[in-house]
Amino acid sequence: MQPIKSFGGHIIVPSTAPSAIPIVAPSEAPAKETSKPVLKFAPKASTSAKRLCRNVIIHGFCKFEEKGCEFNHDGIKATAPPNLEEQKPRLHSPKAKSTPLISSVSADSVNAPVFVPKAALSECTQLTGTLTTSTSTSTSSITTDMEVASETEEGSDYPSIDPSAENLPHSSHGFSRFTMGNSGIADISMIQPTTTMDPYYYMNQAYLRQPLQYHMCAPSLPHVSNLHPHQKALQSFFIADNLREQLSKRSEAMLVAAPGKELGLPLEVHVYHSLYPLEDTSDSFLGHTSWTYKATSRVNGKIYSLVRIEGFRLVNEQAMKAVESWRRVQHCNLVCIREAFTTRAFGDSSLVFVYDYHPCAMSLFDTYFTPQAHAVMLSQRQVMGGTAILVSETTLWSYITQITSALKTIHAAGLAIRTLEPGRVLLTGKNRLRLHCCSIFDVLQYDGGQNLALYQQEDLLSFGKIIVSLACNSLQSYHNLTHSFDYISQFYSPELKNVVLYLLSKPSPTKTIDEVVTLIAPGILHEINCSQYYTDTLESEIGLELENGRLVRLMSKLGFVNERPEFDTDPRWSETGDRYLIKLFRDYVFHQVNAHGVPVVDMAHVLTCLNKLDAGVDEKIMLMSRDEQACLIVSYKEIKHCLSSAFNDLC
């Protein structure tokens, strides 16, 4: 007896007729053209011995019903939507009768919405369909333009969708997240591109951009954190979460992009494209408005930072020689400049400076002197026991050492930075400073290097102002030096105070950066020690990722060999010879179960086995087939040889 099947919630008794399908040639007589095609159903007596036509199930009608189709077409009587308006004959859409009949097909399966792919959205205006979810009070209609119309239920949160791109709301940024409403449906403007959108950014508009998952695993609980010497926590196999989060944020910041037309930016400037603003507000240099962008070079594909001086007309071409002098200065605490050029791509005469791009960098002003920064530092001070200082002396010595090192290199090259301000000193890492916007003043106020000594003295004075502002946590502390030095004397060492006094002293020929190096000698030694310790920490973290890289390569080889459908015209290549041994090893590592048949998900077991396989140790393991009829005892060394041989065959 054949089993009873169900379709759409109804029970269908299988037919006792033979399963062979007779093939009948269609009638040669052409079908009569009528303005209103009417379905003619087969006699009811003949439907009991025939199966339901699949065309009726899928499309709701069968265009071969009158041309020799031998299957049952009675299901259309109950499943066709009532009160449909007249449709054009070229769509072959029948008009159903209003007489209800009992059918084995569920109405939901026939009245399912028509699937319209995004790529064919422009072509859907040539077809006629209905998307019906209405109750008895709402009906679907077909417009004269043959557009897809959708009627919603009363009180439903689902809006009707118009496939016309002009009626879709315009997206502000290609990287913005979807705005989810009460119904849980994403904004349709983020799925369909608008007519004014640049096709280059279609990918950013079409897909949901989820925030990065910075943490790969949860931290250990307190009661299991104290492990035995031979035990390891899962976190010990990967880099620290805070370092991974920092690197992931930098990678994400490098990939952020938005259509230039929506931001009012040119598509390409010189050899740079995909411009994206890095600041919400503009800056100024000597009264000229400036903007900072991130852009990609089409020469080498790298990302650079572009500083644009708006509305500047270059008068003396010799001023660009200063940029060439700065290009030869390379220092770890300096944002190096690559080139400078003039352009009219922004609609005016602009001067653009190209620098190295450091993602997620923040200026000293944003880090210490904004209201948000003050709130963060005050909360940290309360956690640390209510100490009065907001910036520790160790941090100040680190900043002093780095700025001094950069200024010594710059002054030795016969240049002056001239932009030593809290807003133009960047923090690109943990206590890592970089001086930014070099060479801009040399081009805007070109004097041929006549006032170099004066500018270098101004660098030292600006250096002292930054240290006082950081120590007192106020940009106005320089205007009341008496009170500021009393505060520094109370909470900082005399050596730090002497450095600040020297930097803020009157300019003189003997006041040079070399004297500052002599004064900060104790701080330099401490900074070197801290840098070496931090280097050791990073090397240990890289060592963990090195092991992970080896395991990824090994798992990639296993993926290339296992379950390969065919190789060298042999469909059973992956199931024979040495490849069968690799398949059994895969099951041993990933597909183990316990005594109750529950899968064993043990990361330590996986990592241990893969490490032993990569090393090729002589330890032997027992591999068993899935039917438990074959059992092999092999060593990791033999499995490694089999894997290498199979992978070399593929290569």
Side-chain angles (χ1 to χ4, degrees), residues 21 34 49 86 123 161 194 280 320 334 340 353 434 456 488:
I21 302 174
T34 59
E86 182 180 350
E123 301 176 2
I161 299 176
T194 58
D280 297 332
M320 302 300 287
L334 182 67
F353 296 86
R434 295 181 189 268
Q456 291 181 351
I488 294 175

Side-chain angles (χ1 to χ4, degrees), residues 81-131:
N83 300 329
L84 280 177
E85 295 184 3
E86 182 180 350
Q87 301 181 10
K88 294 186 178 181
R90 65 183 181 88
L91 294 176
H92 304 286
S93 178
K95 184 176 180 180
K97 298 180 180 180
S98 59
T99 304
L101 294 178
I102 301 175
S103 172
S104 60
V105 183
S106 174
D108 295 336
S109 62
V110 177
N111 296 333
V114 178
F115 173 74
V116 181
K118 293 184 293 183
L121 194 61
S122 61
E123 301 176 2
C124 69
T125 56
Q126 302 175 3
L127 301 177
T128 303
T130 57
L131 296 174

Side-chain angles (χ1 to χ4, degrees), residues 40-102:
K40 296 183 179 180
F41 302 99
K44 191 173 182 180
S46 62
T47 60
S48 59
K50 297 179 182 179
R51 289 184 292 180
L52 187 65
C53 181
R54 289 191 176 183
N55 290 330
V56 176
I57 298 175
I58 299 174
H59 305 290
F61 66 96
C62 178
K63 62 182 180 180
F64 299 105
E65 179 181 0
E66 299 179 356
K67 298 180 180 180
C69 183
E70 297 295 330
F71 294 96
N72 181 13
H73 300 87
D74 285 348
I76 192 62
K77 298 180 181 180
T79 58
N83 300 329
L84 280 177
E85 295 184 3
E86 182 180 350
Q87 301 181 10
K88 294 186 178 181
R90 65 183 181 88
L91 294 176
H92 304 286
S93 178
K95 184 176 180 180
K97 298 180 180 180
S98 59
T99 304
L101 294 178
I102 301 175

